[in-house]
Amino acid sequence: MIRLAQPPRADWQRIVEGQGLIWHTADGRPYWDESVHYRFTAAQIDTIEAATAELYRLFLAAGDAILADPALLARFDIPAAFHQPIRDAWAAEPPALNIGRFDLGYDGAGPPKLFEFNCDTPTSLLEAAVVQWDWKQAVFPALGQYNGLHEALVAKWRDLADYLPPRVHFAHADEDSGEDALTVAYLRDTAAAAGIETVPLLVDDIGWDHDAHRFVDADDAPIAALYKLYPWEWLTREAFAPQLADSLATGSTLWIEPVWKMIWSNKAILPILWQLNPGHPNLLPASFDIPDGDAVAKPLLAREGANVSIRRGGRVVAEAAGAYADQSYVYQALYPLPEPAPGCFPVIGSWIVDGAPAGLGIREDGLITGNTARFVPHVIEG
């Protein structure tokens, strides 16, 4: 796993914009950074793929344990009204893409280590599935890339088609960067490629029909199935939370992804994974209590590195601002990320689709990976 420099394509901005990546520059510097890339050996990719499959197995077992123990579920700060809907959805296994991104620390030699699992609202999907593949084909056509994401997504939508209503709504928040809109547009494209009719929708335009007891869109059309790039923990705290619980109980809307994703995407699962699998090579020690050694403090529901702090020798050496400071925290042992360039620390994003490993992306940032991290492509040698 080495980091190498190469000249960016002369018209790279036009190329990636044509692929839908409008949000390619942030704070005056490239977010999509093709001036460097990472090279892996086939054996290293095999290691990452095997670790991803193993972590998914651990999450399945942890889900069973958490939902069987009310005391464990209480650690997640999930409103009590949604505990039973989570259990019901876990048992029923409603149609789902079951996609997610394991964020891993990896130095190319030791076992990959789990930082967290982004499986409710994972982004950087278009970059990983399409943009870096096109870059590889143009710049290093003879080399490989660990990337079956696009094909896996289309295949999974095709598998789901018989279990879905005629139209599926796709919703996201109206946020400034456009990243959520980009991700949802790409997922709509993959669904359309599988023959599914899709309808765009802003979260703010979701309404409730009190007579029919169901969610509707801005045209008052029923929302029979909804893919939403909007966190479950936000939905359960919206003014319409009682109606949401009603919808989950009656099944009037099929939610993609299902409500049980709340337990996997919540960082409270990290100490529980460690309790269930102490010493596992792909896990870092984690606790609900402040440890004696070097650690990373993470709010349960923080996003994009917000309010994360790094503690060494009892002293905070790095921290990120954010709006999650008043949450409960977990503490994960500090993993020394490789630093192939000064101030540059890569985090592996290893993707699953339908629970199976499907490819990876890499983001580079400082000690804390935030929303201004750069996406860097990769290839496989030989």
Side-chain angles (χ1 to χ4, degrees), residues 208 210 213 215 238-249 252 255:
W208 178 258
H210 290 275
H213 288 275
F215 287 105
E238 296 280 4
F240 57 68
Q243 288 78 23
L244 178 60
D246 185 338
S247 170
L248 291 168
S252 59
W255 295 85

Side-chain angles (χ1 to χ4, degrees), residues 32 49 82 117 179 192 197 206 208 240 263 275 280 308 316 357 381:
W32 162 262
E49 186 174 29
F82 293 91
F117 190 23
E179 184 179 17
E197 181 183 352
I206 296 174
W208 178 258
F240 57 68
I263 59 172
Q275 291 167 14
H280 193 284
V308 168
V316 174
E381 293 181 332

Side-chain angles (χ1 to χ4, degrees), residues 120-327:
D120 184 19
T121 57
T123 54
S124 76
L125 183 56
L126 176 70
E127 302 92 294
V130 175
V131 181
Q132 70 168 342
W133 176 259
D134 179 78
W135 166 87
K136 183 211 78 75
Q137 292 292 81
V139 180
F140 296 110
L143 299 182
Q145 188 177 90
Y146 178 38
N147 196 348
L149 264 170
H150 183 80
E151 294 79 8
L153 285 166
V154 174
K156 184 55 184 175
W157 281 120
R158 192 172 289 120
D159 288 344
L160 291 176
D162 289 342
Y163 303 94
L164 299 176
R167 297 194 309 165
V168 178
H169 286 76
F170 284 71
H172 63 86
D174 187 13
E175 43 86 35
D176 292 338
S177 74
E179 184 179 17
D180 288 0
L182 167 72
T183 302
V184 170
Y186 172 61
L187 283 168
R188 285 184 63 206
D189 285 346
T190 60
I196 294 170
E197 181 183 352
T198 70
V199 181
L201 182 65
L202 290 176
V203 169
D204 287 346
D205 290 334
I206 296 174
W208 178 258
D209 185 326
H210 290 275
D211 295 328
H213 288 275
R214 67 181 307 153
F215 287 105
V216 294
D217 63 19
D219 297 322
D220 290 329
I223 300 175
L226 178 70
Y227 176 87
K228 49 90 199 161
L229 195 72
Y230 193 79
W232 270 110
E233 64 265 20
W234 293 2
L235 286 172
T236 60
R237 290 168 170 82
E238 296 280 4
F240 57 68
Q243 288 78 23
L244 178 60
D246 185 338
S247 170
L248 291 168
T250 63
S252 59
T253 296
L254 170 64
W255 295 85
I256 306 172
E257 301 281 65
V259 66
W260 61 255
K261 282 288 187 88
M262 288 183 76
I263 59 172
W264 279 8
S265 63
N266 188 308
K267 294 176 188 66
I269 201 169
L270 298 174
I272 294 170
L273 283 166
W274 186 251
Q275 291 167 14
L276 294 172
N277 309 278
H280 193 284
N282 298 127
L283 298 176
L284 293 165
S287 172
F288 290 104
D289 302 312
I290 300 176
D292 294 330
D294 297 346
V296 180
K298 299 180 175 182
L300 296 192
L301 301 173
R303 315 181 71 76
E304 297 181 323
N307 297 105
V308 168
S309 62
I310 297 176
R311 301 162 180 245
R312 287 194 176 119
R315 184 172 61 90
V316 174
V317 298
E319 59 184 334
Y324 305 93
D326 60 347
Q327 291 187 6

